[in-house]
Amino acid sequence: TKPTVEEILALYDDAKRRYDESGLYTQFDEDETFYELDFKEKLLLPTAFEAEGIVLPTARDLVDTCCDNTDIFNARVWVNKKGESKKSDEEANLLRKFGLGVLYRNCFEASISPIRVAAKHYWLHGLTIIKDVWDADRWLARPERKEDESDETYAERIDQWRAEHHDSIPIVIQGVNPRNIMLDPYYDGGMFVFETREELCFNVKQQFPDWGNPKSAKITDKVVHISFWTKDFRCDLYDREPVLKVAGGVAKHTYGFIPYVPIDTGLGNLSSTNDLKKRYVGILRYVKDVLVSESRDYSIGDIILKKQTWPWG
């Protein structure tokens, strides 16, 4: 059943309430605080020695070592064959090579490897989200034939077009920070997904000139972009106003699946109440007190060493 914008917004508010009450986002934020070594105030050193505190890079080492030991560069692709004939084998092998090519191109042409990003989210937050979408802007249209253009001239232009754009792949793979994602909290993430992020008002107006700017945001203000997906429908809202040029603002897509793949580490526990912060557990979640204690002990030792080891100097 095609949902309405009002139903989508009601579902969004309910899912956000559930996520806020679970404390999962708070845990994600704390995970990043420890990974960025931004917890010097937690050492609780005397005020006179606060500036001399040292935060050891153990948290980063733990996450990065786990990422380095995760094989993300030797992906394997399986393809179902359509039959038992030799032609079916050749078609399946060709499709398998295409899949490997898509993975390779996305990893090495992006400004940062999406698979590496996904591996880092996997160990840091206990959950990684891989997004696979079709980007029509990368699929360049074939040049149209001009009036009175000869076959030879048009064929030459087509050859030139193929030489310049034959390697355009419109399938985009992204590693989305799980802090920006709300999975279906009632059906194990399977029925719908929300992606939420802030975007510049100026950019939104450039991309969607008909957008009504319901909150009268200035061009330098941030606008909340809510993207809603089911396996059949999608809806994009900016400050809760739909922007897709379809009846009702909700479009039917032809993917046949939700283009977000959630993978969790299994370090958490599927509790009886489906507590999200217990379900998605990163490698730092239950060693944060140890990380603070380690940095505090090192800082105290370093301060004492500077003050007392060679007092005659």
Side-chain angles (χ1 to χ4, degrees), residues 10 21 26-27 29 32 49 66 76-77 83 86-87 93 112 154 164 193 221 256 266 268-269 278 285 290 293 303:
E21 290 177 354
T26 302
Q27 293 292 340
D29 291 339
E32 292 200 358
F49 302 107
C66 287
R76 288 172 289 180
V77 177
K86 182 179 180 181
K87 183 178 180 181
N93 189 44
I112 181 171
Y154 181 59
E164 294 176 352
V193 171
D221 290 342
N269 176 40
K278 293 180 181 178
R285 183 68 54 82
V290 177
S293 177
I303 292 169

Side-chain angles (χ1 to χ4, degrees), residues 15 25 27 32 69-70 96 109 141 161 171 180 192 194 207 214 216 225 234 255 259 270 275 308 310 312:
Y25 283 163
Q27 293 292 340
E32 292 200 358
N69 285 278
T70 303
R96 183 185 67 84
E109 291 187 359
W161 172 78
I171 301 173
N180 298 110
F192 63 85
F194 284 102
Q207 188 174 3
S216 302
H225 175 198
R234 62 168 297 191
Y255 286 1
L270 190 58
D275 190 333
Q308 300 296 330
W310 295 293
W312 56 86

